[in-house]
Amino acid sequence: MAAPARRLCHIAFHVPAGLPLARDLQRLFGFQPLAVREADGWRQLALRSGDAVFLVNEGAGPAEPLYGLDPHHAVPSATNLCFDVADAGAAARALAALGCSVPVPPVSMRDEQGAATYAVISSPAGNLSLTLLDRTGFRGPFLPGFRPVPSAPGPGWVSHVDHLTLACTPSSSPKLMRWFHDCLGFHHLPLSPGEDPELGLEVAAESGPGGLRLTALRAPTGSAVPTLVLAESLLGVTSRQDQVEQFLARNGGPGLQHVGLYTPNIMKATEGVVGAGGQLLTPPEAYYQQPGKEKQILAAGLEPSLLARQGVLLDGDRGKFLLQVFTKSLFAEDTFFLELIQRQGATGFGQGNIRALWQSMQEQAARVQEA
């Protein structure tokens, strides 16, 4: 591996000036302002909930935003993942030697709270760039060049980023898996016993051709980097786009489709999100009527009717459970969304939940296309 990632520092978004993403992250999901920078036509606001940090870059300017790259993308989207590395300069040189494009060579930033060095590389995943950051010499709350923003403690609904899901073009997952392995040290994480890394986990459509392929990647041992999930459509002839195809069309290519945010109490978090006006995907009615589902929910110490009312999915057995709920898109283009996830001993993603998400997103995609 050329530049092993040690930790996810933040996820950056690029949106037009005036788009209420930063406000929605605060109002709907409990994120709190951490630091801000306003210069060169950009307003960059870092928001935090637990260890999850989002950097919202608003506007556009003659210069690149600090710690990132202006993607000049036609639609608002999540465009950058920032990883902590041991030596940003050495990492950039090693990746360049592998043939990676380095649009922002190593840059050193300094203010009264210390110094940090970063470089930005292009990834093969559409408009997604990666920032390699070394901030061991910085003592402030975020990064040099940003002004700290005092804020009250948030509700604590989110503690950290659990996983990141990239929507990919058909048959591209093996190539992307090798790139993340060679460049950042990620390894295949099986989602089912005996899974072939080249094939991943295939979720077939309930009727007709098509379906979904998921390939999970684990960061280097000892790092604090979320799981990376590659999602692509299975080739098939259908009259309607599935949710991955729709994302590719509306986003203008591959990219970060959703972020899984870990919550220590999904029922409380979901209640807070809905109470603040957040919109969640509605699971298929049949999900809660599956044979054994009520017993499974009760075994987890939860009330089936409450999960159904709040749209929370549950999968697992033998005392290990996984609970998930998904938001509708944060953007009018119906692309990027968030997931709230709670684990009670479970480490995977639950094939039953994957199929339920597939079906609910198919139904949502159909409603959007018909609108």
Side-chain angles (χ1 to χ4, degrees):
M1 70 191 80
R6 302 192 301 187
R7 189 169 71 87
L8 177 68
C9 299
H10 64 257
I11 301 166
F13 298 80
H14 279 75
V15 300
L19 200 74
L21 176 61
R23 184 196 67 190
D24 289 347
L25 290 172
Q26 296 177 70
R27 182 173 61 89
L28 302 179
F29 302 101
F31 281 72
Q32 297 299 307
L34 176 64
V36 67
R37 173 183 179 265
E38 295 180 278
D40 304 322
W42 294 98
R43 183 177 191 269
Q44 298 180 264
L45 177 64
L47 303 112
R48 179 175 187 171
S49 180
D51 290 331
V53 178
F54 287 168
L55 176 61
V56 179
N57 297 321
E58 283 190 36
E64 301 289 0
L66 282 187
Y67 306 101
L69 183 68
D70 184 353
H72 300 287
H73 201 56
V75 298
S77 59
T79 58
N80 177 270
L81 302 176
C82 180
F83 293 109
D84 174 66
V85 296
D87 184 327
R93 290 190 295 272
L95 290 172
L98 289 178
C100 296
S101 173
V102 186
V104 180
V107 178
S108 293
M109 296 293 301
R110 179 178 294 274
D111 63 16
E112 62 276 6
Q113 299 184 83
T117 301
Y118 75 95
V120 182
I121 65 170
S122 300
S123 86
N127 68 328
L128 187 70
S129 64
L130 305 179
T131 295
L132 310 174
L133 175 69
D134 176 6
R135 58 177 177 186
T136 54
F138 186 68
R139 301 177 302 278
F142 186 54
L143 289 169
F146 281 73
R147 172 174 52 84
V149 177
S151 61
W157 297 335
V158 171
S159 63
H160 61 275
V161 175
D162 180 86
H163 63 275
L164 309 158
T165 297
L166 300 180
C168 313
T169 54
S171 303
S172 66
S173 292
K175 179 181 177 181
L176 285 170
M177 180 175 63
R178 287 189 291 271
W179 189 90
F180 279 100
H181 172 269
D182 295 344
C183 295
L184 297 175
F186 282 80
H187 296 270
H188 175 240
L189 174 64
L191 294 175
S192 61
E195 178 183 311
D196 185 338
E198 294 291 314
L199 298 177
L201 173 67
E202 295 187 357
V203 182
E206 290 198 354
S207 60
L212 180 70
R213 172 180 286 119
L214 297 177
T215 305
L217 306 177
R218 179 171 41 203
T221 303
S223 69
V225 177
T227 298
L228 184 65
V229 182
L230 309 177
E232 65 175 60
S233 298
L234 293 174
L235 296 176
V237 180
T238 61
S239 60
R240 177 173 286 152
Q241 289 180 328
D242 64 38
Q243 72 265 28
V244 175
E245 292 171 322
Q246 187 179 93
F247 177 93
L248 296 176
R250 292 175 177 269
N251 188 62
L256 187 61
Q257 183 209 39
H258 79 267
V259 172
L261 297 172
Y262 189 87
T263 174
N265 187 330
I266 198 167
M267 305 308 293
K268 181 179 179 181
T270 302
E271 183 179 358
V273 170
V274 173
Q279 294 186 307
L280 304 177
L281 279 178
T282 302
E285 289 186 12
Y287 175 81
Y288 301 99
Q289 299 166 4
Q290 298 175 81
K293 180 58 68 176
E294 180 176 349
K295 181 179 178 181
Q296 187 183 48
I297 294 173
L298 291 171
L302 297 167
E303 174 56 46
S305 62
L306 183 58
L307 261 68
R309 186 164 64 249
Q310 297 189 187
V312 176
L313 307 177
L314 181 144
D315 205 357
D317 58 14
R318 300 178 184 175
K320 296 182 178 181
F321 299 98
L322 174 75
L323 298 99
Q324 297 164 284
V325 69
F326 302 87
T327 74
K328 294 185 179 180
S329 177
L330 273 60
F331 302 129
E333 290 77 8
D334 198 42
T335 51
F336 179 84
F337 62 93
L338 293 174
E339 169 188 346
L340 296 175
I341 182 169
Q342 180 183 351
R343 299 180 183 276
Q344 296 181 0
T347 57
F349 291 95
Q351 293 192 35
N353 284 6
I354 291 171
R355 289 185 171 87
L357 171 62
W358 167 265
Q359 186 175 341
S360 60
M361 290 196 68
Q362 286 299 96
E363 294 172 357
Q364 174 67 13
R367 287 191 289 269
V368 170
Q369 286 183 305
E370 292 168 357

